[in-house]
Amino acid sequence: MTGLKRENSSKAGPYWQQVPAGKQQQQPFKQQQQQQQQLSRRHSVANGEADEHLFVTPTDLLCPITLGLFQDPVCNALGQVYEKAAIQRHLVQAAINGLPPTDPISNAVLPSLDLVPVFPMRSRAAQYRESTARTCVQTAAAPHCSDPVRYLRRAAELLVTAADSSSTGGGGQQQQPQQQQQQQQASGGSAAAPAGAAPAGSAGPSFSIP
């Protein structure tokens, strides 16, 4: 019996090195808490880096004039794609100033004022908008999300822009008389404006740039 007691006491170590039972239970619990905190921090950082693409719009879906996501992309006679409202505003302003219609990027004179809708790019932009907004809302609702307000703000930015463009979708009928006036001015040079047309300084149809 004495041999067993000595063996047990030798395994336990000297009494001044022994840790009370309460502290022995607290140490693993604290270690688990620290490990969980470290894992949650790594998880949040990893998610932030992985979700960074949600806040960066692909450059091929951005209008060169507005630097915003395409709503109604059109292609001019030189093959450059712009947001319809933005390029129309540019062409109308050039006609009002008595200048030839030019491309905003290359400043080259356009051979015609035709604007052709680019439906594949419009579909891609709409798909990106919907999928990104949905992912942002789902990420903000997740329990591990460290900054839900940032994701909700991004989703609202995409959806509000789309709602504004749809609410102003009827503006195409108002823009048609201005386009006809623009074409007449471009073809006639400095000829007088047709009867009933608004003077150059008067307020014309409004163009909203997203």
Side-chain angles (χ1 to χ4, degrees), residues 18-57:
Q18 295 180 5
V19 181
K23 291 187 177 180
Q24 289 179 357
Q25 295 177 358
Q26 291 178 1
Q27 285 181 354
F29 181 72
K30 290 182 179 179
Q31 291 177 357
Q32 290 179 0
Q33 283 185 335
Q34 292 176 356
Q35 291 177 357
Q36 290 178 356
Q37 290 177 358
Q38 291 177 357
L39 288 175
S40 62
R41 290 175 184 173
R42 293 176 182 175
H43 188 65
S44 61
V45 171
N47 285 338
E49 294 177 353
D51 296 341
E52 196 63 29
H53 70 281
L54 298 174
F55 302 91
V56 180
T57 306

PDB file of all heavy atoms in Angstrom, residues 18-57:
ATOM      1  N   GLN A  18       0.900  21.583  -7.635  1.00  0.00           N
ATOM      2  CA  GLN A  18      -0.418  21.086  -7.970  1.00  0.00           C
ATOM      3  C   GLN A  18      -1.406  22.240  -8.095  1.00  0.00           C
ATOM      4  O   GLN A  18      -1.358  23.194  -7.331  1.00  0.00           O
ATOM      5  CB  GLN A  18      -0.909  20.098  -6.899  1.00  0.00           C
ATOM      6  CG  GLN A  18      -0.058  18.833  -6.825  1.00  0.00           C
ATOM      7  CD  GLN A  18      -0.555  17.882  -5.757  1.00  0.00           C
ATOM      8  OE1 GLN A  18      -1.588  18.132  -5.135  1.00  0.00           O
ATOM      9  NE2 GLN A  18       0.172  16.792  -5.552  1.00  0.00           N
ATOM     10  N   VAL A  19      -2.331  22.138  -9.109  1.00  0.00           N
ATOM     11  CA  VAL A  19      -3.340  23.159  -9.368  1.00  0.00           C
ATOM     12  C   VAL A  19      -4.649  22.711  -8.751  1.00  0.00           C
ATOM     13  O   VAL A  19      -5.014  21.539  -8.879  1.00  0.00           O
ATOM     14  CB  VAL A  19      -3.519  23.380 -10.884  1.00  0.00           C
ATOM     15  CG1 VAL A  19      -4.551  24.470 -11.160  1.00  0.00           C
ATOM     16  CG2 VAL A  19      -2.182  23.730 -11.512  1.00  0.00           C
ATOM     17  N   PRO A  20      -5.358  23.578  -8.071  1.00  0.00           N
ATOM     18  CA  PRO A  20      -6.651  23.198  -7.490  1.00  0.00           C
ATOM     19  C   PRO A  20      -7.599  22.675  -8.552  1.00  0.00           C
ATOM     20  O   PRO A  20      -7.507  23.004  -9.733  1.00  0.00           O
ATOM     21  CB  PRO A  20      -7.168  24.503  -6.871  1.00  0.00           C
ATOM     22  CG  PRO A  20      -5.942  25.305  -6.631  1.00  0.00           C
ATOM     23  CD  PRO A  20      -4.979  24.935  -7.709  1.00  0.00           C
ATOM     24  N   ALA A  21      -8.556  21.848  -8.115  1.00  0.00           N
ATOM     25  CA  ALA A  21      -9.487  21.198  -9.054  1.00  0.00           C
ATOM     26  C   ALA A  21     -10.350  22.215  -9.786  1.00  0.00           C
ATOM     27  O   ALA A  21     -10.645  22.077 -10.963  1.00  0.00           O
ATOM     28  CB  ALA A  21     -10.377  20.209  -8.293  1.00  0.00           C
ATOM     29  N   GLY A  22     -10.760  23.295  -9.120  1.00  0.00           N
ATOM     30  CA  GLY A  22     -11.587  24.313  -9.759  1.00  0.00           C
ATOM     31  C   GLY A  22     -10.862  25.003 -10.893  1.00  0.00           C
ATOM     32  O   GLY A  22     -11.426  25.248 -11.962  1.00  0.00           O
ATOM     33  N   LYS A  23      -9.598  25.306 -10.692  1.00  0.00           N
ATOM     34  CA  LYS A  23      -8.817  25.969 -11.740  1.00  0.00           C
ATOM     35  C   LYS A  23      -8.543  25.025 -12.900  1.00  0.00           C
ATOM     36  O   LYS A  23      -8.452  25.447 -14.045  1.00  0.00           O
ATOM     37  CB  LYS A  23      -7.505  26.502 -11.165  1.00  0.00           C
ATOM     38  CG  LYS A  23      -7.689  27.667 -10.211  1.00  0.00           C
ATOM     39  CD  LYS A  23      -6.359  28.250  -9.801  1.00  0.00           C
ATOM     40  CE  LYS A  23      -6.541  29.466  -8.904  1.00  0.00           C
ATOM     41  NZ  LYS A  23      -5.240  30.039  -8.495  1.00  0.00           N
ATOM     42  N   GLN A  24      -8.382  23.712 -12.584  1.00  0.00           N
ATOM     43  CA  GLN A  24      -8.170  22.747 -13.655  1.00  0.00           C
ATOM     44  C   GLN A  24      -9.381  22.683 -14.584  1.00  0.00           C
ATOM     45  O   GLN A  24      -9.247  22.473 -15.776  1.00  0.00           O
ATOM     46  CB  GLN A  24      -7.900  21.360 -13.063  1.00  0.00           C
ATOM     47  CG  GLN A  24      -6.534  21.240 -12.392  1.00  0.00           C
ATOM     48  CD  GLN A  24      -6.303  19.871 -11.805  1.00  0.00           C
ATOM     49  OE1 GLN A  24      -7.198  19.019 -11.863  1.00  0.00           O
ATOM     50  NE2 GLN A  24      -5.125  19.641 -11.246  1.00  0.00           N
ATOM     51  N   GLN A  25     -10.575  22.904 -14.066  1.00  0.00           N
ATOM     52  CA  GLN A  25     -11.769  22.901 -14.890  1.00  0.00           C
ATOM     53  C   GLN A  25     -11.931  24.211 -15.652  1.00  0.00           C
ATOM     54  O   GLN A  25     -12.498  24.244 -16.732  1.00  0.00           O
ATOM     55  CB  GLN A  25     -13.008  22.650 -14.027  1.00  0.00           C
ATOM     56  CG  GLN A  25     -13.014  21.270 -13.387  1.00  0.00           C
ATOM     57  CD  GLN A  25     -14.211  21.063 -12.485  1.00  0.00           C
ATOM     58  OE1 GLN A  25     -15.026  21.972 -12.315  1.00  0.00           O
ATOM     59  NE2 GLN A  25     -14.322  19.874 -11.896  1.00  0.00           N
ATOM     60  N   GLN A  26     -11.436  25.317 -15.075  1.00  0.00           N
ATOM     61  CA  GLN A  26     -11.579  26.613 -15.728  1.00  0.00           C
ATOM     62  C   GLN A  26     -10.635  26.770 -16.919  1.00  0.00           C
ATOM     63  O   GLN A  26     -10.977  27.387 -17.917  1.00  0.00           O
ATOM     64  CB  GLN A  26     -11.325  27.739 -14.724  1.00  0.00           C
ATOM     65  CG  GLN A  26     -12.406  27.861 -13.662  1.00  0.00           C
ATOM     66  CD  GLN A  26     -12.098  28.940 -12.655  1.00  0.00           C
ATOM     67  OE1 GLN A  26     -11.060  29.607 -12.774  1.00  0.00           O
ATOM     68  NE2 GLN A  26     -12.973  29.113 -11.673  1.00  0.00           N
ATOM     69  N   GLN A  27      -9.444  26.205 -16.814  1.00  0.00           N
ATOM     70  CA  GLN A  27      -8.455  26.382 -17.865  1.00  0.00           C
ATOM     71  C   GLN A  27      -8.912  25.795 -19.200  1.00  0.00           C
ATOM     72  O   GLN A  27      -8.843  26.474 -20.228  1.00  0.00           O
ATOM     73  CB  GLN A  27      -7.121  25.764 -17.432  1.00  0.00           C
ATOM     74  CG  GLN A  27      -6.380  26.616 -16.399  1.00  0.00           C
ATOM     75  CD  GLN A  27      -5.061  25.998 -16.009  1.00  0.00           C
ATOM     76  OE1 GLN A  27      -4.747  24.888 -16.432  1.00  0.00           O
ATOM     77  NE2 GLN A  27      -4.285  26.705 -15.201  1.00  0.00           N
ATOM     78  N   PRO A  28      -9.422  24.557 -19.282  1.00  0.00           N
ATOM     79  CA  PRO A  28      -9.920  24.065 -20.582  1.00  0.00           C
ATOM     80  C   PRO A  28     -11.065  24.893 -21.131  1.00  0.00           C
ATOM     81  O   PRO A  28     -11.164  25.107 -22.337  1.00  0.00           O
ATOM     82  CB  PRO A  28     -10.370  22.632 -20.257  1.00  0.00           C
ATOM     83  CG  PRO A  28      -9.605  22.253 -19.053  1.00  0.00           C
ATOM     84  CD  PRO A  28      -9.455  23.514 -18.265  1.00  0.00           C
ATOM     85  N   PHE A  29     -11.956  25.388 -20.254  1.00  0.00           N
ATOM     86  CA  PHE A  29     -13.078  26.204 -20.716  1.00  0.00           C
ATOM     87  C   PHE A  29     -12.593  27.512 -21.321  1.00  0.00           C
ATOM     88  O   PHE A  29     -13.073  27.954 -22.368  1.00  0.00           O
ATOM     89  CB  PHE A  29     -14.016  26.471 -19.543  1.00  0.00           C
ATOM     90  CG  PHE A  29     -15.214  27.291 -19.906  1.00  0.00           C
ATOM     91  CD1 PHE A  29     -16.232  26.761 -20.673  1.00  0.00           C
ATOM     92  CD2 PHE A  29     -15.309  28.618 -19.490  1.00  0.00           C
ATOM     93  CE1 PHE A  29     -17.334  27.514 -21.018  1.00  0.00           C
ATOM     94  CE2 PHE A  29     -16.398  29.379 -19.845  1.00  0.00           C
ATOM     95  CZ  PHE A  29     -17.420  28.827 -20.604  1.00  0.00           C
ATOM     96  N   LYS A  30     -11.609  28.158 -20.684  1.00  0.00           N
ATOM     97  CA  LYS A  30     -11.047  29.397 -21.227  1.00  0.00           C
ATOM     98  C   LYS A  30     -10.335  29.139 -22.551  1.00  0.00           C
ATOM     99  O   LYS A  30     -10.420  29.935 -23.484  1.00  0.00           O
ATOM    100  CB  LYS A  30     -10.084  30.017 -20.224  1.00  0.00           C
ATOM    101  CG  LYS A  30     -10.762  30.593 -18.994  1.00  0.00           C
ATOM    102  CD  LYS A  30      -9.748  31.222 -18.069  1.00  0.00           C
ATOM    103  CE  LYS A  30     -10.424  31.831 -16.853  1.00  0.00           C
ATOM    104  NZ  LYS A  30      -9.445  32.437 -15.919  1.00  0.00           N
ATOM    105  N   GLN A  31      -9.640  28.022 -22.623  1.00  0.00           N
ATOM    106  CA  GLN A  31      -8.955  27.685 -23.866  1.00  0.00           C
ATOM    107  C   GLN A  31      -9.959  27.456 -24.999  1.00  0.00           C
ATOM    108  O   GLN A  31      -9.745  27.888 -26.130  1.00  0.00           O
ATOM    109  CB  GLN A  31      -8.089  26.428 -23.670  1.00  0.00           C
ATOM    110  CG  GLN A  31      -6.889  26.657 -22.761  1.00  0.00           C
ATOM    111  CD  GLN A  31      -6.103  25.396 -22.535  1.00  0.00           C
ATOM    112  OE1 GLN A  31      -6.494  24.325 -23.026  1.00  0.00           O
ATOM    113  NE2 GLN A  31      -5.012  25.483 -21.792  1.00  0.00           N
ATOM    114  N   GLN A  32     -11.072  26.814 -24.687  1.00  0.00           N
ATOM    115  CA  GLN A  32     -12.104  26.616 -25.700  1.00  0.00           C
ATOM    116  C   GLN A  32     -12.693  27.939 -26.165  1.00  0.00           C
ATOM    117  O   GLN A  32     -12.940  28.141 -27.355  1.00  0.00           O
ATOM    118  CB  GLN A  32     -13.212  25.708 -25.146  1.00  0.00           C
ATOM    119  CG  GLN A  32     -12.784  24.266 -24.950  1.00  0.00           C
ATOM    120  CD  GLN A  32     -13.892  23.420 -24.373  1.00  0.00           C
ATOM    121  OE1 GLN A  32     -14.983  23.920 -24.119  1.00  0.00           O
ATOM    122  NE2 GLN A  32     -13.622  22.141 -24.163  1.00  0.00           N
ATOM    123  N   GLN A  33     -12.920  28.860 -25.219  1.00  0.00           N
ATOM    124  CA  GLN A  33     -13.445  30.174 -25.593  1.00  0.00           C
ATOM    125  C   GLN A  33     -12.475  30.919 -26.498  1.00  0.00           C
ATOM    126  O   GLN A  33     -12.870  31.526 -27.504  1.00  0.00           O
ATOM    127  CB  GLN A  33     -13.734  31.004 -24.338  1.00  0.00           C
ATOM    128  CG  GLN A  33     -15.010  30.624 -23.622  1.00  0.00           C
ATOM    129  CD  GLN A  33     -15.296  31.545 -22.469  1.00  0.00           C
ATOM    130  OE1 GLN A  33     -14.377  32.162 -21.909  1.00  0.00           O
ATOM    131  NE2 GLN A  33     -16.555  31.651 -22.093  1.00  0.00           N
ATOM    132  N   GLN A  34     -11.182  30.887 -26.156  1.00  0.00           N
ATOM    133  CA  GLN A  34     -10.187  31.562 -26.984  1.00  0.00           C
ATOM    134  C   GLN A  34     -10.107  30.945 -28.375  1.00  0.00           C
ATOM    135  O   GLN A  34     -10.008  31.658 -29.383  1.00  0.00           O
ATOM    136  CB  GLN A  34      -8.826  31.502 -26.294  1.00  0.00           C
ATOM    137  CG  GLN A  34      -8.743  32.332 -25.013  1.00  0.00           C
ATOM    138  CD  GLN A  34      -7.405  32.173 -24.320  1.00  0.00           C
ATOM    139  OE1 GLN A  34      -6.560  31.385 -24.755  1.00  0.00           O
ATOM    140  NE2 GLN A  34      -7.212  32.923 -23.245  1.00  0.00           N
ATOM    141  N   GLN A  35     -10.173  29.630 -28.442  1.00  0.00           N
ATOM    142  CA  GLN A  35     -10.132  28.973 -29.741  1.00  0.00           C
ATOM    143  C   GLN A  35     -11.358  29.323 -30.585  1.00  0.00           C
ATOM    144  O   GLN A  35     -11.249  29.567 -31.781  1.00  0.00           O
ATOM    145  CB  GLN A  35     -10.038  27.458 -29.552  1.00  0.00           C
ATOM    146  CG  GLN A  35      -8.707  26.984 -28.988  1.00  0.00           C
ATOM    147  CD  GLN A  35      -8.687  25.497 -28.742  1.00  0.00           C
ATOM    148  OE1 GLN A  35      -9.699  24.805 -28.947  1.00  0.00           O
ATOM    149  NE2 GLN A  35      -7.543  24.975 -28.311  1.00  0.00           N
ATOM    150  N   GLN A  36     -12.526  29.370 -29.946  1.00  0.00           N
ATOM    151  CA  GLN A  36     -13.732  29.739 -30.680  1.00  0.00           C
ATOM    152  C   GLN A  36     -13.674  31.172 -31.178  1.00  0.00           C
ATOM    153  O   GLN A  36     -14.087  31.478 -32.306  1.00  0.00           O
ATOM    154  CB  GLN A  36     -14.965  29.543 -29.789  1.00  0.00           C
ATOM    155  CG  GLN A  36     -15.302  28.096 -29.511  1.00  0.00           C
ATOM    156  CD  GLN A  36     -16.500  27.945 -28.597  1.00  0.00           C
ATOM    157  OE1 GLN A  36     -17.037  28.938 -28.112  1.00  0.00           O
ATOM    158  NE2 GLN A  36     -16.913  26.709 -28.356  1.00  0.00           N
ATOM    159  N   GLN A  37     -13.153  32.080 -30.364  1.00  0.00           N
ATOM    160  CA  GLN A  37     -13.017  33.467 -30.794  1.00  0.00           C
ATOM    161  C   GLN A  37     -12.055  33.589 -31.970  1.00  0.00           C
ATOM    162  O   GLN A  37     -12.311  34.322 -32.928  1.00  0.00           O
ATOM    163  CB  GLN A  37     -12.537  34.327 -29.622  1.00  0.00           C
ATOM    164  CG  GLN A  37     -13.581  34.517 -28.530  1.00  0.00           C
ATOM    165  CD  GLN A  37     -13.039  35.308 -27.361  1.00  0.00           C
ATOM    166  OE1 GLN A  37     -11.855  35.685 -27.341  1.00  0.00           O
ATOM    167  NE2 GLN A  37     -13.886  35.573 -26.377  1.00  0.00           N
ATOM    168  N   GLN A  38     -10.937  32.869 -31.901  1.00  0.00           N
ATOM    169  CA  GLN A  38      -9.983  32.912 -33.002  1.00  0.00           C
ATOM    170  C   GLN A  38     -10.595  32.344 -34.283  1.00  0.00           C
ATOM    171  O   GLN A  38     -10.414  32.903 -35.374  1.00  0.00           O
ATOM    172  CB  GLN A  38      -8.723  32.127 -32.630  1.00  0.00           C
ATOM    173  CG  GLN A  38      -7.889  32.784 -31.533  1.00  0.00           C
ATOM    174  CD  GLN A  38      -6.685  31.938 -31.155  1.00  0.00           C
ATOM    175  OE1 GLN A  38      -6.514  30.827 -31.673  1.00  0.00           O
ATOM    176  NE2 GLN A  38      -5.864  32.443 -30.260  1.00  0.00           N
ATOM    177  N   LEU A  39     -11.351  31.251 -34.153  1.00  0.00           N
ATOM    178  CA  LEU A  39     -11.982  30.670 -35.333  1.00  0.00           C
ATOM    179  C   LEU A  39     -13.027  31.595 -35.926  1.00  0.00           C
ATOM    180  O   LEU A  39     -13.137  31.731 -37.149  1.00  0.00           O
ATOM    181  CB  LEU A  39     -12.628  29.328 -34.966  1.00  0.00           C
ATOM    182  CG  LEU A  39     -11.668  28.160 -34.683  1.00  0.00           C
ATOM    183  CD1 LEU A  39     -12.442  26.939 -34.208  1.00  0.00           C
ATOM    184  CD2 LEU A  39     -10.843  27.819 -35.904  1.00  0.00           C
ATOM    185  N   SER A  40     -13.803  32.278 -35.062  1.00  0.00           N
ATOM    186  CA  SER A  40     -14.818  33.204 -35.570  1.00  0.00           C
ATOM    187  C   SER A  40     -14.167  34.388 -36.267  1.00  0.00           C
ATOM    188  O   SER A  40     -14.660  34.858 -37.304  1.00  0.00           O
ATOM    189  CB  SER A  40     -15.706  33.692 -34.422  1.00  0.00           C
ATOM    190  OG  SER A  40     -14.942  34.399 -33.464  1.00  0.00           O
ATOM    191  N   ARG A  41     -13.048  34.880 -35.727  1.00  0.00           N
ATOM    192  CA  ARG A  41     -12.347  35.986 -36.383  1.00  0.00           C
ATOM    193  C   ARG A  41     -11.811  35.550 -37.747  1.00  0.00           C
ATOM    194  O   ARG A  41     -11.954  36.282 -38.738  1.00  0.00           O
ATOM    195  CB  ARG A  41     -11.201  36.464 -35.504  1.00  0.00           C
ATOM    196  CG  ARG A  41     -11.650  37.185 -34.226  1.00  0.00           C
ATOM    197  CD  ARG A  41     -10.474  37.516 -33.344  1.00  0.00           C
ATOM    198  NE  ARG A  41     -10.892  38.120 -32.092  1.00  0.00           N
ATOM    199  CZ  ARG A  41     -10.057  38.389 -31.078  1.00  0.00           C
ATOM    200  NH1 ARG A  41      -8.767  38.083 -31.187  1.00  0.00           N
ATOM    201  NH2 ARG A  41     -10.540  38.943 -29.979  1.00  0.00           N
ATOM    202  N   ARG A  42     -11.192  34.385 -37.788  1.00  0.00           N
ATOM    203  CA  ARG A  42     -10.689  33.891 -39.077  1.00  0.00           C
ATOM    204  C   ARG A  42     -11.836  33.674 -40.063  1.00  0.00           C
ATOM    205  O   ARG A  42     -11.712  33.971 -41.253  1.00  0.00           O
ATOM    206  CB  ARG A  42      -9.930  32.578 -38.868  1.00  0.00           C
ATOM    207  CG  ARG A  42      -8.634  32.733 -38.069  1.00  0.00           C
ATOM    208  CD  ARG A  42      -7.999  31.375 -37.813  1.00  0.00           C
ATOM    209  NE  ARG A  42      -6.788  31.483 -37.011  1.00  0.00           N
ATOM    210  CZ  ARG A  42      -6.101  30.439 -36.568  1.00  0.00           C
ATOM    211  NH1 ARG A  42      -6.490  29.207 -36.876  1.00  0.00           N
ATOM    212  NH2 ARG A  42      -5.018  30.617 -35.829  1.00  0.00           N
ATOM    213  N   HIS A  43     -12.960  33.183 -39.544  1.00  0.00           N
ATOM    214  CA  HIS A  43     -14.109  32.924 -40.422  1.00  0.00           C
ATOM    215  C   HIS A  43     -14.659  34.226 -40.981  1.00  0.00           C
ATOM    216  O   HIS A  43     -14.971  34.324 -42.170  1.00  0.00           O
ATOM    217  CB  HIS A  43     -15.185  32.191 -39.637  1.00  0.00           C
ATOM    218  CG  HIS A  43     -16.330  31.716 -40.487  1.00  0.00           C
ATOM    219  ND1 HIS A  43     -16.190  30.760 -41.461  1.00  0.00           N
ATOM    220  CD2 HIS A  43     -17.634  32.095 -40.515  1.00  0.00           C
ATOM    221  CE1 HIS A  43     -17.344  30.544 -42.044  1.00  0.00           C
ATOM    222  NE2 HIS A  43     -18.248  31.347 -41.507  1.00  0.00           N
ATOM    223  N   SER A  44     -14.752  35.265 -40.145  1.00  0.00           N
ATOM    224  CA  SER A  44     -15.268  36.549 -40.615  1.00  0.00           C
ATOM    225  C   SER A  44     -14.319  37.194 -41.611  1.00  0.00           C
ATOM    226  O   SER A  44     -14.746  37.757 -42.625  1.00  0.00           O
ATOM    227  CB  SER A  44     -15.496  37.493 -39.425  1.00  0.00           C
ATOM    228  OG  SER A  44     -14.274  37.727 -38.745  1.00  0.00           O
ATOM    229  N   VAL A  45     -13.017  37.099 -41.362  1.00  0.00           N
ATOM    230  CA  VAL A  45     -12.045  37.664 -42.295  1.00  0.00           C
ATOM    231  C   VAL A  45     -12.090  36.926 -43.626  1.00  0.00           C
ATOM    232  O   VAL A  45     -12.064  37.530 -44.709  1.00  0.00           O
ATOM    233  CB  VAL A  45     -10.625  37.613 -41.686  1.00  0.00           C
ATOM    234  CG1 VAL A  45      -9.584  37.989 -42.723  1.00  0.00           C
ATOM    235  CG2 VAL A  45     -10.536  38.548 -40.489  1.00  0.00           C
ATOM    236  N   ALA A  46     -12.188  35.595 -43.555  1.00  0.00           N
ATOM    237  CA  ALA A  46     -12.254  34.811 -44.794  1.00  0.00           C
ATOM    238  C   ALA A  46     -13.510  35.130 -45.573  1.00  0.00           C
ATOM    239  O   ALA A  46     -13.483  35.265 -46.798  1.00  0.00           O
ATOM    240  CB  ALA A  46     -12.196  33.315 -44.463  1.00  0.00           C
ATOM    241  N   ASN A  47     -14.632  35.283 -44.873  1.00  0.00           N
ATOM    242  CA  ASN A  47     -15.875  35.625 -45.574  1.00  0.00           C
ATOM    243  C   ASN A  47     -15.789  37.013 -46.188  1.00  0.00           C
ATOM    244  O   ASN A  47     -16.297  37.251 -47.288  1.00  0.00           O
ATOM    245  CB  ASN A  47     -17.053  35.552 -44.603  1.00  0.00           C
ATOM    246  CG  ASN A  47     -17.442  34.116 -44.286  1.00  0.00           C
ATOM    247  OD1 ASN A  47     -17.130  33.213 -45.054  1.00  0.00           O
ATOM    248  ND2 ASN A  47     -18.086  33.913 -43.161  1.00  0.00           N
ATOM    249  N   GLY A  48     -15.173  37.955 -45.477  1.00  0.00           N
ATOM    250  CA  GLY A  48     -15.034  39.299 -46.023  1.00  0.00           C
ATOM    251  C   GLY A  48     -14.213  39.320 -47.292  1.00  0.00           C
ATOM    252  O   GLY A  48     -14.548  40.018 -48.256  1.00  0.00           O
ATOM    253  N   GLU A  49     -13.130  38.531 -47.318  1.00  0.00           N
ATOM    254  CA  GLU A  49     -12.308  38.469 -48.517  1.00  0.00           C
ATOM    255  C   GLU A  49     -13.035  37.734 -49.642  1.00  0.00           C
ATOM    256  O   GLU A  49     -12.922  38.114 -50.807  1.00  0.00           O
ATOM    257  CB  GLU A  49     -10.990  37.760 -48.189  1.00  0.00           C
ATOM    258  CG  GLU A  49     -10.104  38.540 -47.212  1.00  0.00           C
ATOM    259  CD  GLU A  49      -8.847  37.772 -46.850  1.00  0.00           C
ATOM    260  OE1 GLU A  49      -8.759  36.589 -47.260  1.00  0.00           O
ATOM    261  OE2 GLU A  49      -7.979  38.334 -46.154  1.00  0.00           O
ATOM    262  N   ALA A  50     -13.802  36.686 -49.296  1.00  0.00           N
ATOM    263  CA  ALA A  50     -14.498  35.935 -50.330  1.00  0.00           C
ATOM    264  C   ALA A  50     -15.669  36.713 -50.907  1.00  0.00           C
ATOM    265  O   ALA A  50     -16.010  36.559 -52.077  1.00  0.00           O
ATOM    266  CB  ALA A  50     -14.987  34.603 -49.754  1.00  0.00           C
ATOM    267  N   ASP A  51     -16.309  37.569 -50.090  1.00  0.00           N
ATOM    268  CA  ASP A  51     -17.480  38.317 -50.529  1.00  0.00           C
ATOM    269  C   ASP A  51     -17.131  39.681 -51.098  1.00  0.00           C
ATOM    270  O   ASP A  51     -18.034  40.463 -51.384  1.00  0.00           O
ATOM    271  CB  ASP A  51     -18.458  38.490 -49.366  1.00  0.00           C
ATOM    272  CG  ASP A  51     -19.009  37.163 -48.882  1.00  0.00           C
ATOM    273  OD1 ASP A  51     -18.930  36.185 -49.659  1.00  0.00           O
ATOM    274  OD2 ASP A  51     -19.507  37.093 -47.753  1.00  0.00           O
ATOM    275  N   GLU A  52     -15.863  39.968 -51.248  1.00  0.00           N
ATOM    276  CA  GLU A  52     -15.483  41.289 -51.752  1.00  0.00           C
ATOM    277  C   GLU A  52     -15.974  41.505 -53.177  1.00  0.00           C
ATOM    278  O   GLU A  52     -16.201  42.641 -53.592  1.00  0.00           O
ATOM    279  CB  GLU A  52     -13.958  41.442 -51.688  1.00  0.00           C
ATOM    280  CG  GLU A  52     -13.490  42.879 -51.815  1.00  0.00           C
ATOM    281  CD  GLU A  52     -13.987  43.758 -50.682  1.00  0.00           C
ATOM    282  OE1 GLU A  52     -14.202  43.246 -49.576  1.00  0.00           O
ATOM    283  OE2 GLU A  52     -14.159  44.976 -50.933  1.00  0.00           O
ATOM    284  N   HIS A  53     -16.170  40.419 -53.933  1.00  0.00           N
ATOM    285  CA  HIS A  53     -16.648  40.567 -55.311  1.00  0.00           C
ATOM    286  C   HIS A  53     -18.073  41.104 -55.349  1.00  0.00           C
ATOM    287  O   HIS A  53     -18.510  41.617 -56.391  1.00  0.00           O
ATOM    288  CB  HIS A  53     -16.588  39.218 -56.027  1.00  0.00           C
ATOM    289  CG  HIS A  53     -17.595  38.222 -55.522  1.00  0.00           C
ATOM    290  ND1 HIS A  53     -17.413  37.500 -54.358  1.00  0.00           N
ATOM    291  CD2 HIS A  53     -18.807  37.844 -56.014  1.00  0.00           C
ATOM    292  CE1 HIS A  53     -18.457  36.718 -54.161  1.00  0.00           C
ATOM    293  NE2 HIS A  53     -19.324  36.907 -55.148  1.00  0.00           N
ATOM    294  N   LEU A  54     -18.805  40.998 -54.248  1.00  0.00           N
ATOM    295  CA  LEU A  54     -20.166  41.513 -54.221  1.00  0.00           C
ATOM    296  C   LEU A  54     -20.199  43.035 -54.277  1.00  0.00           C
ATOM    297  O   LEU A  54     -21.217  43.619 -54.652  1.00  0.00           O
ATOM    298  CB  LEU A  54     -20.890  41.036 -52.960  1.00  0.00           C
ATOM    299  CG  LEU A  54     -21.070  39.530 -52.804  1.00  0.00           C
ATOM    300  CD1 LEU A  54     -21.664  39.209 -51.446  1.00  0.00           C
ATOM    301  CD2 LEU A  54     -21.936  38.969 -53.920  1.00  0.00           C
ATOM    302  N   PHE A  55     -19.102  43.676 -53.921  1.00  0.00           N
ATOM    303  CA  PHE A  55     -19.054  45.131 -53.860  1.00  0.00           C
ATOM    304  C   PHE A  55     -18.268  45.742 -55.011  1.00  0.00           C
ATOM    305  O   PHE A  55     -18.099  46.956 -55.061  1.00  0.00           O
ATOM    306  CB  PHE A  55     -18.432  45.575 -52.524  1.00  0.00           C
ATOM    307  CG  PHE A  55     -19.168  45.053 -51.322  1.00  0.00           C
ATOM    308  CD1 PHE A  55     -18.834  43.849 -50.737  1.00  0.00           C
ATOM    309  CD2 PHE A  55     -20.233  45.772 -50.788  1.00  0.00           C
ATOM    310  CE1 PHE A  55     -19.523  43.363 -49.638  1.00  0.00           C
ATOM    311  CE2 PHE A  55     -20.928  45.302 -49.688  1.00  0.00           C
ATOM    312  CZ  PHE A  55     -20.576  44.089 -49.112  1.00  0.00           C
ATOM    313  N   VAL A  56     -17.786  44.908 -55.919  1.00  0.00           N
ATOM    314  CA  VAL A  56     -17.030  45.391 -57.076  1.00  0.00           C
ATOM    315  C   VAL A  56     -17.761  44.942 -58.335  1.00  0.00           C
ATOM    316  O   VAL A  56     -17.783  43.747 -58.650  1.00  0.00           O
ATOM    317  CB  VAL A  56     -15.583  44.860 -57.066  1.00  0.00           C
ATOM    318  CG1 VAL A  56     -14.822  45.384 -58.270  1.00  0.00           C
ATOM    319  CG2 VAL A  56     -14.875  45.265 -55.781  1.00  0.00           C
ATOM    320  N   THR A  57     -18.357  45.895 -59.036  1.00  0.00           N
ATOM    321  CA  THR A  57     -19.089  45.575 -60.259  1.00  0.00           C
ATOM    322  C   THR A  57     -18.105  45.297 -61.394  1.00  0.00           C
ATOM    323  O   THR A  57     -17.117  46.016 -61.548  1.00  0.00           O
ATOM    324  CB  THR A  57     -20.007  46.736 -60.655  1.00  0.00           C
ATOM    325  OG1 THR A  57     -20.848  47.057 -59.544  1.00  0.00           O
ATOM    326  CG2 THR A  57     -20.870  46.380 -61.850  1.00  0.00           C
TER     327      THR A  57
END
